[in-house]
Amino acid sequence: MSRRPGFLVYGLLTAFLLGSAFPLYWSFVIGSVTRQRAIQSPPPLVPGGHFLENAGRVFDRIDFWSALLNSIIVSGISAASVVLFSTLAGYSFAKLRFRGSNAGMVFVVATLAVPTQLALVPMLKQFSNLGLTGTHAAVILPWVVTAFGVFFMRQYLVDAIPDELIDAARVDGASMIRTFWTVAIPAARPAMAILGLFTFMQVWTDFMWPLIVLQGSDVQTLQTALDALKVAPGQGHADMALVQAGTILATVPLLLLFIATGRHLVSGIMQGAVKG
C-alpha cells in the first residue's frame, strides 16, 4: 500500500525550493536597482528597473564576450576530459581484476580528504616552471581527471554492467578497448552526463585557481573578469549593483544548460537511484 506525501512534505519541499532560489533572486534585485539604492538600509526586496542599464555598464567595463568564450572553452574541455578519463579509471576499478586495485581505489578515495588549498602553491610553482601560467592549459590541466569522478563512475559501473556481459564480449573475441566502447560506454551514459554537467558547473564557477594563474593575462575566464567590477574607479566602495548585474549575466549560461539538459539529468539520477 503506497502513501501519498502529506502537507508536511510539500511544505518542506517548498521551503527548500524558496530558500535555494532566494540568493539568485536577491542578486537580480540588487543588480536591477541603482548604485545608491543597492547600499541603502533596509535593502531592496523587489526588482528595480535598471538591470539593462547596469548590464550595459558591465559590457563597458570588461570584455564580457571574450571572457564568456574563454569560460566555455575551459569548462567544456575540462568536463570532457574528466568524463573520459574518470570513466576509463572507474571501469578499470569496477570490472577489471588486477593486483593493487583495492589499494589504488583506497588511495583515490583518500585524496578526497585533502583540501584543495594545500596543492595551490606546489601547482603554481610547477606551472610557472613549465611556462604555462597565463594560459588556458594552466586552468584545464588540474581537471584532466578527478578523484571524485573516478569514485563516482566506479560506484555506478559496479552494478550497471553485469560481469556476464563482459565475459560474453570476451568470448566473442572483443578486445579490452572494444569491450569498453561497446559495453561500458552505453551503460555509463547517464552517469557520464551527470558527471559532465557537474564538472562543467564546477569549473565554470571556480574563481580561486583561475585568479592565481591567469592574473594579468588576456585569457581571463568570466569569474576572474567579473572580479574587476568590484573596484570602482574614484569611489570608496564597490558598486554592488554593477557586481550583481555581472553575476546574473554570468549565471545565465548555466541556467540555459540546466534547462537544455534537465530531462537527461533527472533521468540519469533516477536510473542511478533505482540501481542503488
Side-chain angles (χ1 to χ4, degrees), residues 117-138:
Q117 290 79 2
L118 288 179
L120 291 181
V121 174
M123 284 201 305
L124 178 60
K125 186 175 181 180
Q126 192 68 30
F127 281 115
S128 179
N129 292 336
L130 294 174
L132 295 178
T133 53
T135 67
H136 286 156

Side-chain angles (χ1 to χ4, degrees), residues 143-224:
W143 290 96
V144 169
V145 61
T146 64
F148 172 77
V150 175
F151 174 73
F152 178 73
M153 294 307 302
R154 188 264 179 194
Q155 293 301 104
Y156 184 87
L157 291 174
V158 162
D159 296 325
I161 308 175
D163 292 338
E164 294 77 8
L165 193 58
I166 297 177
D167 293 338
R170 290 172 178 168
V171 170
D172 289 342
S175 64
M176 186 178 299
I177 297 298
R178 184 176 177 81
T179 302
F180 173 76
W181 284 106
T182 57
V183 177
I185 290 295
R189 279 176 183 168
M192 292 169 68
I194 296 173
L195 180 62
L197 184 58
F198 284 169
T199 303
F200 187 95
M201 183 178 64
Q202 194 172 2
V203 179
W204 184 278
T205 58
D206 188 21
F207 173 73
M208 185 165 53
W209 177 244
L211 180 67
I212 294 173
V213 295
L214 298 180
Q215 191 73 33
S217 68
D218 56 353
V219 291
Q220 299 281 327
T221 62
L222 203 49
Q223 303 302 325
T224 56

Side-chain angles (χ1 to χ4, degrees), residues 232-255:
Q235 300 175 6
H237 50 77
D239 187 342
M240 293 307 299
L242 185 65
V243 172
Q244 294 302 334
T247 303
I248 291 296
L249 291 174
T251 307
V252 169
L254 285 183
L255 294 177

Side-chain angles (χ1 to χ4, degrees), residues 6-20:
F7 289 107
L8 178 60
V9 174
Y10 283 112
L12 291 174
L13 289 175
T14 302
F16 178 77
L17 177 63
L18 294 177
S20 300

Side-chain angles (χ1 to χ4, degrees), residues 89 93 101-114 145-152 154:
F93 281 119
S101 62
N102 291 333
M105 196 63 223
V106 171
F107 176 77
V108 170
V109 174
T111 59
L112 291 172
V114 180
V145 61
T146 64
F148 172 77
V150 175
F151 174 73
F152 178 73
R154 188 264 179 194

Side-chain angles (χ1 to χ4, degrees), residues 23-67:
L24 182 62
Y25 169 76
W26 195 74
S27 294
F28 177 73
V29 169
I30 298 300
S32 63
V33 297
T34 63
R35 170 175 169 270
Q36 293 76 17
R37 181 68 184 95
I39 57 176
Q40 288 179 351
S41 183
L45 295 177
V46 295
H50 300 273
F51 181 78
L52 294 180
E53 175 188 337
N54 292 333
R57 292 198 293 133
V58 171
F59 296 138
D60 292 336
R61 286 282 302 279
I62 63 174
D63 191 352
F64 182 87
W65 299 112
S66 177

